[in-house]
Amino acid sequence: MFIKKSVESKVQLTTKESSTWFLDSGASYHLTSRQDYFSSYTSGNFGQVLMGNDGSSKIIDMGTMHLEASTGCKLVLRNVRHVPDIILNLLWSSVLDDEGFYNRLRERKWKLFKGRMVVAHLQKMRSLYVMQVSVLRRHQCGA
């Protein structure tokens, strides 16, 4: 846990938790089952996602997450869908493309770039690309 003093005489606590994310070129959104990973979110009826088992699950929240890759770079995921029934945390490669990132697949490794900077590395495990990150969560409290 990191503690940072802010100008408003409040203490900002930042906690980190390790998390595994999988790259999915076929998903429609970034998805997670972990509501506690969101730094901000909106509850509501955001539709459903179709699952691989021919079922569907409700999207109950949508919001923003802050991740830190093994490179030390911060990655802000916006419009992440909270789907309690999903097992894996999924990154949608098309959304990353739309946000100005580009990627390169080569020799069982996937690299995410922003300009010339390597933001994240993913390793191929069987048929999936996997990224280990730290989820950054901020909490405000009075000092």
Side-chain angles (χ1 to χ4, degrees), residues 10 17 22 27 29 34 59 61 63 67 85 98 120 125 136:
K10 291 184 179 180
E17 180 178 327
F22 296 85
Y29 318 103
R34 299 285 304 264
I59 302 169
D61 298 318
L67 307 178
D85 297 332
D98 292 346
M125 291 178 55
L136 304 175

Side-chain angles (χ1 to χ4, degrees), residues 6-7 13 16 30 50-51 58 60 76 80 103 126 138:
S6 70
V7 178
L13 302 176
K16 287 185 179 185
H30 302 313
L50 297 177
M51 307 293 272
K58 288 185 178 185
I60 63 169
V76 178
V80 179
N103 60 70
R126 296 187 182 152
R138 292 182 172 84

Side-chain angles (χ1 to χ4, degrees), residues 6-65:
S6 70
V7 178
E8 299 100 32
S9 295
K10 291 184 179 180
V11 174
Q12 184 177 18
L13 302 176
T14 303
T15 59
K16 287 185 179 185
E17 180 178 327
S18 182
S19 177
T20 302
W21 288 75
F22 296 85
L23 181 67
D24 189 348
S25 60
S28 300
Y29 318 103
H30 302 313
L31 302 171
T32 186
S33 64
R34 299 285 304 264
Q35 186 180 40
D36 59 318
Y37 284 179
F38 289 91
S39 56
S40 65
Y41 65 90
T42 302
S43 295
N45 180 4
F46 295 103
Q48 298 185 48
V49 293
L50 297 177
M51 307 293 272
N53 62 2
D54 294 327
S56 64
S57 291
K58 288 185 178 185
I59 302 169
I60 63 169
D61 298 318
M62 183 169 62
T64 302
M65 285 184 189

